PDB file of all heavy atoms in Angstrom:
ATOM      1  N   ALA R 211       1.631  14.514   3.276  1.00 99.00           N
ATOM      2  CA  ALA R 211       0.756  15.283   4.164  1.00 99.00           C
ATOM      3  C   ALA R 211       0.773  16.740   3.753  1.00 99.00           C
ATOM      4  O   ALA R 211       1.811  17.274   3.359  1.00 99.00           O
ATOM      5  CB  ALA R 211       1.221  15.140   5.609  1.00 99.00           C
ATOM      6  N   VAL R 212      -0.395  17.368   3.841  1.00 99.00           N
ATOM      7  CA  VAL R 212      -0.474  18.802   3.580  1.00 99.00           C
ATOM      8  C   VAL R 212      -1.298  19.433   4.697  1.00 99.00           C
ATOM      9  O   VAL R 212      -2.377  18.952   5.034  1.00 99.00           O
ATOM     10  CB  VAL R 212      -1.004  19.091   2.143  1.00 99.00           C
ATOM     11  CG1 VAL R 212      -2.318  18.429   1.856  1.00 99.00           C
ATOM     12  CG2 VAL R 212      -1.068  20.586   1.878  1.00 99.00           C
ATOM     13  N   LEU R 213      -0.725  20.479   5.283  1.00 99.00           N
ATOM     14  CA  LEU R 213      -1.276  21.073   6.508  1.00 99.00           C
ATOM     15  C   LEU R 213      -1.675  22.522   6.262  1.00 99.00           C
ATOM     16  O   LEU R 213      -0.932  23.278   5.621  1.00 99.00           O
ATOM     17  CB  LEU R 213      -0.193  21.024   7.601  1.00 99.00           C
ATOM     18  CG  LEU R 213      -0.482  21.769   8.904  1.00 99.00           C
ATOM     19  CD1 LEU R 213      -1.587  21.076   9.704  1.00 99.00           C
ATOM     20  CD2 LEU R 213       0.793  21.871   9.756  1.00 99.00           C
ATOM     21  N   CYS R 214      -2.847  22.900   6.810  1.00 98.00           N
ATOM     22  CA  CYS R 214      -3.227  24.314   6.731  1.00 98.00           C
ATOM     23  C   CYS R 214      -3.943  24.721   8.013  1.00 98.00           C
ATOM     24  O   CYS R 214      -4.306  23.889   8.841  1.00 98.00           O
ATOM     25  CB  CYS R 214      -4.122  24.587   5.524  1.00 98.00           C
ATOM     26  SG  CYS R 214      -5.770  23.914   5.688  1.00 98.00           S
ATOM     27  N   THR R 215      -4.192  26.012   8.105  1.00 98.00           N
ATOM     28  CA  THR R 215      -4.895  26.554   9.262  1.00 98.00           C
ATOM     29  C   THR R 215      -6.409  26.450   9.028  1.00 98.00           C
ATOM     30  O   THR R 215      -6.863  25.851   8.039  1.00 98.00           O
ATOM     31  CB  THR R 215      -4.437  28.006   9.514  1.00 98.00           C
ATOM     32  OG1 THR R 215      -4.970  28.438  10.760  1.00 98.00           O
ATOM     33  CG2 THR R 215      -4.905  28.946   8.422  1.00 98.00           C
ATOM     34  N   SER R 216      -7.195  27.028   9.915  1.00 97.00           N
ATOM     35  CA  SER R 216      -8.651  26.908   9.813  1.00 97.00           C
ATOM     36  C   SER R 216      -9.227  27.970   8.882  1.00 97.00           C
ATOM     37  O   SER R 216      -8.548  28.931   8.502  1.00 97.00           O
ATOM     38  CB  SER R 216      -9.271  27.061  11.207  1.00 97.00           C
ATOM     39  OG  SER R 216      -9.043  28.370  11.687  1.00 97.00           O
ATOM     40  N   GLY R 217     -10.489  27.792   8.502  1.00 97.00           N
ATOM     41  CA  GLY R 217     -11.190  28.777   7.678  1.00 97.00           C
ATOM     42  C   GLY R 217     -11.079  28.480   6.190  1.00 97.00           C
ATOM     43  O   GLY R 217     -10.934  27.325   5.785  1.00 97.00           O
ATOM     44  N   THR R 218     -11.101  29.535   5.377  1.00 98.00           N
ATOM     45  CA  THR R 218     -11.085  29.333   3.928  1.00 98.00           C
ATOM     46  C   THR R 218      -9.801  28.662   3.467  1.00 98.00           C
ATOM     47  O   THR R 218      -9.753  28.096   2.378  1.00 98.00           O
ATOM     48  CB  THR R 218     -11.246  30.669   3.184  1.00 98.00           C
ATOM     49  OG1 THR R 218     -10.243  31.573   3.653  1.00 98.00           O
ATOM     50  CG2 THR R 218     -12.626  31.270   3.398  1.00 98.00           C
ATOM     51  N   ALA R 219      -8.758  28.715   4.280  1.00 98.00           N
ATOM     52  CA  ALA R 219      -7.509  28.011   3.942  1.00 98.00           C
ATOM     53  C   ALA R 219      -7.816  26.565   3.581  1.00 98.00           C
ATOM     54  O   ALA R 219      -7.334  26.036   2.573  1.00 98.00           O
ATOM     55  CB  ALA R 219      -6.542  28.066   5.121  1.00 98.00           C
ATOM     56  N   ALA R 220      -8.662  25.935   4.407  1.00 98.00           N
ATOM     57  CA  ALA R 220      -8.980  24.519   4.184  1.00 98.00           C
ATOM     58  C   ALA R 220      -9.762  24.325   2.886  1.00 98.00           C
ATOM     59  O   ALA R 220      -9.591  23.326   2.182  1.00 98.00           O
ATOM     60  CB  ALA R 220      -9.773  23.988   5.370  1.00 98.00           C
ATOM     61  N   ALA R 221     -10.616  25.299   2.572  1.00 98.00           N
ATOM     62  CA  ALA R 221     -11.411  25.178   1.338  1.00 98.00           C
ATOM     63  C   ALA R 221     -10.531  25.223   0.102  1.00 98.00           C
ATOM     64  O   ALA R 221     -10.872  24.661  -0.944  1.00 98.00           O
ATOM     65  CB  ALA R 221     -12.456  26.288   1.290  1.00 98.00           C
ATOM     66  N   ASN R 222      -9.382  25.877   0.204  1.00 98.00           N
ATOM     67  CA  ASN R 222      -8.481  25.969  -0.950  1.00 98.00           C
ATOM     68  C   ASN R 222      -7.800  24.642  -1.301  1.00 98.00           C
ATOM     69  O   ASN R 222      -7.176  24.521  -2.345  1.00 98.00           O
ATOM     70  CB  ASN R 222      -7.426  27.059  -0.720  1.00 98.00           C
ATOM     71  CG  ASN R 222      -7.980  28.430  -1.056  1.00 98.00           C
ATOM     72  OD1 ASN R 222      -8.198  28.750  -2.216  1.00 98.00           O
ATOM     73  ND2 ASN R 222      -8.248  29.224  -0.037  1.00 98.00           N
ATOM     74  N   PHE R 223      -7.915  23.662  -0.413  1.00 98.00           N
ATOM     75  CA  PHE R 223      -7.412  22.311  -0.737  1.00 98.00           C
ATOM     76  C   PHE R 223      -8.351  21.573  -1.698  1.00 98.00           C
ATOM     77  O   PHE R 223      -7.973  20.576  -2.294  1.00 98.00           O
ATOM     78  CB  PHE R 223      -7.319  21.439   0.526  1.00 98.00           C
ATOM     79  CG  PHE R 223      -6.145  21.699   1.429  1.00 98.00           C
ATOM     80  CD1 PHE R 223      -6.029  21.009   2.629  1.00 98.00           C
ATOM     81  CD2 PHE R 223      -5.137  22.601   1.096  1.00 98.00           C
ATOM     82  CE1 PHE R 223      -4.955  21.215   3.482  1.00 98.00           C
ATOM     83  CE2 PHE R 223      -4.053  22.818   1.942  1.00 98.00           C
ATOM     84  CZ  PHE R 223      -3.967  22.124   3.142  1.00 98.00           C
ATOM     85  N   HIS R 224      -9.593  22.049  -1.785  1.00 98.00           N
ATOM     86  CA  HIS R 224     -10.629  21.209  -2.396  1.00 98.00           C
ATOM     87  C   HIS R 224     -10.324  20.749  -3.833  1.00 98.00           C
ATOM     88  O   HIS R 224     -10.511  19.570  -4.161  1.00 98.00           O
ATOM     89  CB  HIS R 224     -11.993  21.913  -2.320  1.00 98.00           C
ATOM     90  CG  HIS R 224     -13.144  20.959  -2.273  1.00 98.00           C
ATOM     91  ND1 HIS R 224     -14.352  21.252  -1.692  1.00 98.00           N
ATOM     92  CD2 HIS R 224     -13.269  19.699  -2.733  1.00 98.00           C
ATOM     93  CE1 HIS R 224     -15.162  20.205  -1.811  1.00 98.00           C
ATOM     94  NE2 HIS R 224     -14.531  19.258  -2.445  1.00 98.00           N
ATOM     95  N   PRO R 225      -9.854  21.640  -4.740  1.00 98.00           N
ATOM     96  CA  PRO R 225      -9.582  21.143  -6.098  1.00 98.00           C
ATOM     97  C   PRO R 225      -8.564  20.006  -6.126  1.00 98.00           C
ATOM     98  O   PRO R 225      -8.745  19.024  -6.859  1.00 98.00           O
ATOM     99  CB  PRO R 225      -9.035  22.383  -6.823  1.00 98.00           C
ATOM    100  CG  PRO R 225      -9.541  23.548  -6.040  1.00 98.00           C
ATOM    101  CD  PRO R 225      -9.620  23.085  -4.616  1.00 98.00           C
ATOM    102  N   ALA R 226      -7.521  20.117  -5.310  1.00 98.00           N
ATOM    103  CA  ALA R 226      -6.512  19.043  -5.295  1.00 98.00           C
ATOM    104  C   ALA R 226      -7.100  17.765  -4.702  1.00 98.00           C
ATOM    105  O   ALA R 226      -6.745  16.655  -5.119  1.00 98.00           O
ATOM    106  CB  ALA R 226      -5.284  19.481  -4.504  1.00 98.00           C
ATOM    107  N   VAL R 227      -8.012  17.928  -3.735  1.00 99.00           N
ATOM    108  CA  VAL R 227      -8.655  16.745  -3.140  1.00 99.00           C
ATOM    109  C   VAL R 227      -9.457  16.016  -4.217  1.00 99.00           C
ATOM    110  O   VAL R 227      -9.423  14.787  -4.326  1.00 99.00           O
ATOM    111  CB  VAL R 227      -9.580  17.152  -1.975  1.00 99.00           C
ATOM    112  CG1 VAL R 227     -10.288  15.929  -1.411  1.00 99.00           C
ATOM    113  CG2 VAL R 227      -8.793  17.851  -0.888  1.00 99.00           C
ATOM    114  N   ILE R 228     -10.158  16.782  -5.023  1.00 98.00           N
ATOM    115  CA  ILE R 228     -10.971  16.170  -6.084  1.00 98.00           C
ATOM    116  C   ILE R 228     -10.072  15.450  -7.095  1.00 98.00           C
ATOM    117  O   ILE R 228     -10.339  14.306  -7.483  1.00 98.00           O
ATOM    118  CB  ILE R 228     -11.833  17.246  -6.774  1.00 98.00           C
ATOM    119  CG1 ILE R 228     -12.917  17.717  -5.793  1.00 98.00           C
ATOM    120  CG2 ILE R 228     -12.450  16.719  -8.067  1.00 98.00           C
ATOM    121  CD1 ILE R 228     -13.681  18.938  -6.254  1.00 98.00           C
ATOM    122  N   GLU R 229      -8.997  16.097  -7.491  1.00 98.00           N
ATOM    123  CA  GLU R 229      -8.079  15.451  -8.434  1.00 98.00           C
ATOM    124  C   GLU R 229      -7.474  14.192  -7.798  1.00 98.00           C
ATOM    125  O   GLU R 229      -7.357  13.150  -8.454  1.00 98.00           O
ATOM    126  CB  GLU R 229      -6.989  16.431  -8.873  1.00 98.00           C
ATOM    127  CG  GLU R 229      -5.918  15.859  -9.787  1.00 98.00           C
ATOM    128  CD  GLU R 229      -6.444  15.269 -11.096  1.00 98.00           C
ATOM    129  OE1 GLU R 229      -7.449  15.779 -11.630  1.00 98.00           O
ATOM    130  OE2 GLU R 229      -5.847  14.287 -11.595  1.00 98.00           O
ATOM    131  N   ALA R 230      -7.117  14.290  -6.527  1.00 98.00           N
ATOM    132  CA  ALA R 230      -6.524  13.123  -5.845  1.00 98.00           C
ATOM    133  C   ALA R 230      -7.525  11.981  -5.747  1.00 98.00           C
ATOM    134  O   ALA R 230      -7.167  10.808  -5.899  1.00 98.00           O
ATOM    135  CB  ALA R 230      -6.038  13.522  -4.455  1.00 98.00           C
ATOM    136  N   ASP R 231      -8.785  12.321  -5.507  1.00 98.00           N
ATOM    137  CA  ASP R 231      -9.828  11.293  -5.462  1.00 98.00           C
ATOM    138  C   ASP R 231      -9.942  10.616  -6.831  1.00 98.00           C
ATOM    139  O   ASP R 231      -9.851   9.399  -6.956  1.00 98.00           O
ATOM    140  CB  ASP R 231     -11.162  11.945  -5.069  1.00 98.00           C
ATOM    141  CG  ASP R 231     -12.344  10.992  -5.198  1.00 98.00           C
ATOM    142  OD1 ASP R 231     -12.131   9.767  -5.168  1.00 98.00           O
ATOM    143  OD2 ASP R 231     -13.491  11.481  -5.322  1.00 98.00           O
ATOM    144  N   GLU R 232     -10.089  11.434  -7.863  1.00 97.00           N
ATOM    145  CA  GLU R 232     -10.332  10.885  -9.201  1.00 97.00           C
ATOM    146  C   GLU R 232      -9.140  10.084  -9.724  1.00 97.00           C
ATOM    147  O   GLU R 232      -9.313   9.150 -10.492  1.00 97.00           O
ATOM    148  CB  GLU R 232     -10.668  12.008 -10.184  1.00 97.00           C
ATOM    149  CG  GLU R 232     -11.995  12.717  -9.894  1.00 97.00           C
ATOM    150  CD  GLU R 232     -13.209  11.830 -10.122  1.00 97.00           C
ATOM    151  OE1 GLU R 232     -13.106  10.834 -10.852  1.00 97.00           O
ATOM    152  OE2 GLU R 232     -14.277  12.135  -9.555  1.00 97.00           O
ATOM    153  N   SER R 233      -7.931  10.504  -9.348  1.00 97.00           N
ATOM    154  CA  SER R 233      -6.783   9.775  -9.881  1.00 97.00           C
ATOM    155  C   SER R 233      -6.089   8.920  -8.815  1.00 97.00           C
ATOM    156  O   SER R 233      -4.974   8.452  -9.042  1.00 97.00           O
ATOM    157  CB  SER R 233      -5.805  10.742 -10.551  1.00 97.00           C
ATOM    158  OG  SER R 233      -5.454  11.775  -9.679  1.00 97.00           O
ATOM    159  N   ALA R 234      -6.776   8.715  -7.693  1.00 97.00           N
ATOM    160  CA  ALA R 234      -6.293   7.791  -6.656  1.00 97.00           C
ATOM    161  C   ALA R 234      -4.883   8.126  -6.172  1.00 97.00           C
ATOM    162  O   ALA R 234      -4.007   7.271  -6.100  1.00 97.00           O
ATOM    163  CB  ALA R 234      -6.366   6.341  -7.149  1.00 97.00           C
ATOM    164  N   VAL R 235      -4.692   9.386  -5.843  1.00 98.00           N
ATOM    165  CA  VAL R 235      -3.396   9.825  -5.327  1.00 98.00           C
ATOM    166  C   VAL R 235      -3.493   9.957  -3.804  1.00 98.00           C
ATOM    167  O   VAL R 235      -4.398  10.615  -3.288  1.00 98.00           O
ATOM    168  CB  VAL R 235      -2.992  11.181  -5.956  1.00 98.00           C
ATOM    169  CG1 VAL R 235      -1.688  11.687  -5.349  1.00 98.00           C
ATOM    170  CG2 VAL R 235      -2.845  11.030  -7.463  1.00 98.00           C
ATOM    171  N   PRO R 236      -2.563   9.340  -3.074  1.00 98.00           N
ATOM    172  CA  PRO R 236      -2.662   9.342  -1.605  1.00 98.00           C
ATOM    173  C   PRO R 236      -2.251  10.670  -0.985  1.00 98.00           C
ATOM    174  O   PRO R 236      -1.099  11.090  -1.100  1.00 98.00           O
ATOM    175  CB  PRO R 236      -1.691   8.231  -1.188  1.00 98.00           C
ATOM    176  CG  PRO R 236      -0.699   8.135  -2.297  1.00 98.00           C
ATOM    177  CD  PRO R 236      -1.411   8.542  -3.555  1.00 98.00           C
ATOM    178  N   LEU R 237      -3.192  11.335  -0.340  1.00 98.00           N
ATOM    179  CA  LEU R 237      -2.918  12.601   0.333  1.00 98.00           C
ATOM    180  C   LEU R 237      -3.459  12.545   1.761  1.00 98.00           C
ATOM    181  O   LEU R 237      -4.549  12.005   1.989  1.00 98.00           O
ATOM    182  CB  LEU R 237      -3.626  13.765  -0.373  1.00 98.00           C
ATOM    183  CG  LEU R 237      -3.090  14.277  -1.702  1.00 98.00           C
ATOM    184  CD1 LEU R 237      -3.875  15.517  -2.118  1.00 98.00           C
ATOM    185  CD2 LEU R 237      -1.604  14.590  -1.625  1.00 98.00           C
ATOM    186  N   LEU R 238      -2.716  13.122   2.694  1.00 99.00           N
ATOM    187  CA  LEU R 238      -3.211  13.285   4.066  1.00 99.00           C
ATOM    188  C   LEU R 238      -3.512  14.762   4.248  1.00 99.00           C
ATOM    189  O   LEU R 238      -2.590  15.581   4.330  1.00 99.00           O
ATOM    190  CB  LEU R 238      -2.146  12.855   5.068  1.00 99.00           C
ATOM    191  CG  LEU R 238      -1.732  11.387   5.031  1.00 99.00           C
ATOM    192  CD1 LEU R 238      -0.499  11.161   5.909  1.00 99.00           C
ATOM    193  CD2 LEU R 238      -2.870  10.493   5.502  1.00 99.00           C
TER     194      LEU R 238
END
Side-chain angles (χ1 to χ4, degrees):
V212 55
L213 172 70
C214 71
T215 189
S216 65
T218 54
N222 278 289
F223 283 176
H224 208 153
V227 177
I228 290 170
E229 176 59 33
D231 172 23
E232 294 292 339
S233 53
V235 176
L237 286 186
L238 297 170

